Amino acid sequence: MKVDQKNLDIERIKEDFIQLNSTLLKSGISFSKLQKTSLGKSPTVYNTVTWCTALFIIIIGLGYQLHLFQQIVKYTRGVRCIIPNNYFLWEGTRPISDCQYCLDVESPIILYNISRNDFRSYAYSSKPIVVKGAFLNWPAFKYFNFTFFKNLYDQTEGGYKSVDDECQFLHFKSDFISLRDVLSMNSARINNEPGTKSWYVGWGNCHSEILQRMRQYYPKPHFLPEDCEIPSKEYIFMGYDDGATMHLDFISRLMWQAQLKGSKKWILKPSPECEDICKTITFLVEPGDAVLVDTRVWYHGTSILPGEFSLSIQSEYG
Ligand SMILES: O=C(O)CCC(=O)C(=O)O
Ligand SMILES: [Fe+2]
């Protein structure tokens, strides 16, 4: 019934239009003039404009869909995601916590000289832990620095590309867009000299050759359970001052981090549903320390003590 009514209206408009045309033709207007007036432009121009508009809409539409698709792939691949820009997405999709992880936590658990056996009861806890001086004897403690990573990436085919394509680059507040940018900055900026822009970045290593060469400088942390799994991807964080912006990690396991250079301040904030019963805590980790935080439930941000260069490596375990 509705369709019939619609058809009727269209027929009526057509008839009115034909009527108007013949009245105008009768009054002496030429056909080509009439055509131009009714279309606003000549038919060829009109068709070209229509096609260009259609093409433009198709291209924009495809581009947008491709972007959406890339975002979906990124999230569903389970890539470690730092969330400052996607706070609402993460807040809307993460499970609500029962706040056990932060209840009565006022500072991290501090451990000294802990053996694997003694660490067993802490190994899968969501309470923050610092193991003091755990990595002081790692060769990485001595040899890892900016130049080590620059040489490693410059010399490994596909190293930079692997970070761009799969491993993840985190620029935080700095103006770099890729690891290649970071590792090719001038020496004044590398050293954070006055007059240069301060920087702090992080990136994942999932290139097998790079990972293998890095791992020649450190073993699996001695206190972690023998049977715990460490994925084939490790992160490096380095730079000065502001550190990592407050975020949650979209990962499936716990994490350990080795602070190899500089002293880093961590700020841990409970998730919103626990804010009334748990506290925000801050603590300092020093060179050689291990830090273990459940970064899936604790909002976390870092800053580096003024004038110090911080370098840490980090991995998931579980
Ligand atoms: O070390 C940092 O500055 C940030 C580390 C981080 O976000 C993490 O371990 O998840
Ligand atoms: Fe994180």
Side-chain angles (χ1 to χ4, degrees):
M1 188 64 185
K2 249 186 182 162
V3 172
D4 286 344
Q5 183 62 46
K6 210 171 162 189
N7 286 342
L8 221 70
D9 288 347
I10 290 170
E11 281 310 309
R12 197 169 302 142
I13 290 168
K14 259 195 211 164
E15 265 170 36
D16 288 350
F17 193 68
I18 291 165
Q19 189 63 44
L20 181 67
N21 269 313
S22 60
T23 314
L24 287 169
L25 283 170
K26 268 183 211 153
S27 72
I29 285 187
S30 73
F31 184 72
S32 65
K33 228 176 185 176
L34 187 64
Q35 227 177 13
K36 275 185 194 161
T37 318
S38 62
L39 292 175
K41 300 202 167 47
S42 80
T44 348
V45 173
Y46 184 78
N47 283 342
T48 313
V49 170
T50 312
W51 276 109
C52 284
T53 312
L55 207 63
F56 179 73
I57 291 170
I58 290 168
I59 290 169
I60 296 289
L62 281 178
Y64 183 67
Q65 281 174 22
L66 189 69
H67 173 74
L68 264 183
F69 180 70
Q70 281 172 340
Q71 292 301 314
I72 290 166
V73 167
K74 208 167 165 181
Y75 287 116
T76 50
R77 254 193 341 202
V79 176
R80 177 194 189 82
C81 288
I82 291 237
I83 310 290
N85 298 333
N86 304 292
Y87 175 82
F88 294 108
L89 175 83
W90 179 236
E91 268 305 313
T93 53
R94 73 174 172 82
I96 295 295
S97 139
D98 62 1
C99 306
Q100 282 308 309
Y101 73 92
C102 59
L103 214 57
D104 300 326
V105 173
E106 307 229 336
S107 58
I109 298 164
I110 310 273
L111 303 170
Y112 297 86
N113 293 324
I114 189 97
S115 68
R116 178 167 282 153
N117 211 25
D118 291 343
F119 191 74
R120 202 173 287 273
S121 57
Y122 302 102
Y124 297 105
S125 148
S126 287
K127 307 252 157 130
I129 299 169
V130 173
V131 185
K132 293 300 291 178
F135 306 131
L136 285 168
N137 61 359
W138 276 8
F141 185 71
K142 196 166 159 197
Y143 294 107
F144 280 9
N145 55 28
F146 185 95
T147 313
F148 174 91
F149 287 103
K150 179 174 170 53
N151 291 341
L152 185 56
Y153 276 86
D154 281 353
Q155 289 160 11
T156 311
E157 205 183 318
Y160 288 115
K161 193 169 172 348
S162 68
V163 177
D164 292 342
D165 292 354
E166 329 160 46
C167 311
Q168 202 177 15
F169 175 70
L170 307 160
H171 59 81
F172 300 115
K173 290 187 190 163
S174 35
D175 56 349
F176 298 111
I177 54 163
S178 70
L179 181 61
R180 192 185 284 278
D181 267 4
V182 175
L183 296 182
S184 52
M185 75 178 109
N186 63 41
S187 66
R189 196 165 180 204
I190 295 173
N191 297 316
N192 205 30
E193 285 175 14
T196 61
K197 257 196 209 160
S198 178
W199 57 275
Y200 189 81
V201 297
W203 73 92
N205 281 292
C206 56
H207 189 287
S208 57
E209 192 184 327
I210 289 186
L211 203 55
Q212 196 193 338
R213 285 181 60 192
M214 274 174 62
R215 285 183 174 170
Q216 286 168 358
Y217 294 81
Y218 56 92
K220 172 172 156 178
H222 64 272
F223 48 81
L224 289 183
E226 197 126 32
D227 59 354
C228 84
E229 257 181 50
I230 298 215
S232 311
K233 186 173 183 180
E234 261 145 35
Y235 278 77
I236 311 290
F237 292 92
M238 64 157 120
Y240 301 86
D241 300 320
D242 273 348
T245 40
M246 197 53 101
H247 64 277
L248 273 186
D249 292 334
F250 187 36
I251 54 178
S252 48
R253 285 171 273 223
L254 293 159
M255 76 84 183
W256 58 268
Q257 185 179 109
Q259 186 64 27
L260 299 177
K261 288 200 184 309
S263 299
K264 184 188 281 173
K265 194 169 130 190
W266 283 76
I267 305 170
L268 305 186
K269 245 178 186 301
S271 44
E273 69 272 25
C274 306
E275 257 172 3
D276 290 342
I277 44 173
C278 297
K279 289 191 178 131
T280 294
I281 65 164
T282 64
F283 57 92
L284 194 73
V285 291
E286 295 169 301
D289 290 353
V291 54
L292 296 97
V293 174
D294 190 340
T295 54
R296 303 164 300 180
V297 289
W298 284 100
Y299 276 84
H300 53 288
T302 57
S303 61
I304 314 306
L305 288 196
E308 297 194 15
F309 169 69
S310 171
L311 171 64
S312 24
I313 62 169
Q314 190 246 39
S315 173
E316 291 174 36
Y317 75 94

